[in-house]
Amino acid sequence: MDLLAPPARTLNFDAFWRWLQEHTNCILRCGSPDMTLFDHDDFHWMLMEEERQHVLQLIKGKSLVGEMVMVGREISEVTISPDPDADPQAGHFLAELMGGPKEDPQVLYHFIMAHGIEPVAGHQGFKH
């Protein structure tokens, strides 16, 4: 029996960022076309906002391993769908942060998450 993949969800960047701040331990990797940061048992993720930029840091103890700086106003939407490169049983999800011209949007950043986002019935928040 073939199972259809759940449809992709689309969020604005602010909603995704709020949700991500509550799910930092669920980030498996993230990056841009130029770099990728990978999670590790010895690392933790730190998210902050500085001067209208969204900063994601990967930290080991007190040492910075890597950093990704995103300009939220450049991101037009975030699409979240099952990770096409992962085993379907793993339940990993791909979040693609899109930007650029409306006629030809590009993936500016990506996140692989341990789970997806589901709306909570009758509530404005999200749960996992």
Side-chain angles (χ1 to χ4, degrees):
M1 171 169 68
D2 289 336
L3 296 176
L4 297 175
R9 289 198 41 129
T10 303
L11 300 172
N12 67 37
F13 177 72
D14 290 335
F16 175 73
W17 182 254
R18 284 190 307 272
W19 177 83
L20 189 64
Q21 289 175 318
E22 296 176 6
H23 295 270
T24 56
N25 292 330
C26 307
I27 302 169
L28 302 176
R29 71 177 181 267
C30 66
S32 68
D34 301 327
M35 54 79 71
T36 302
L37 298 172
F38 294 87
D39 192 30
H40 187 278
D41 288 341
D42 292 340
F43 300 164
H44 66 274
W45 299 95
M46 191 119 166
L47 281 69
M48 65 192 92
E49 294 177 45
E50 293 180 347
E51 299 178 22
R52 298 177 48 173
Q53 295 181 341
H54 297 78
V55 181
L56 184 135
Q57 294 180 333
L58 189 57
I59 310 284
K60 179 178 181 179
K62 294 184 179 181
S63 300
L64 179 65
V65 175
E67 179 177 73
M68 185 169 71
V69 179
M70 300 177 288
V71 181
R73 68 180 175 275
E74 293 178 354
I75 300 167
S76 57
E77 68 180 17
V78 179
T79 59
I80 302 171
S81 59
D83 181 5
D85 296 329
D87 177 356
Q89 300 301 318
H92 297 168
F93 279 73
L94 170 64
E96 293 181 310
L97 287 64
M98 309 299 288
K102 194 172 190 174
E103 314 76 53
D104 187 27
Q106 304 293 315
V107 176
L108 301 178
Y109 309 98
H110 68 273
F111 287 80
I112 301 295
M113 303 297 297
H115 58 80
I117 297 176
E118 298 175 7
V120 176
H123 191 267
Q124 296 293 79
F126 296 100
K127 69 171 184 139
H128 67 8

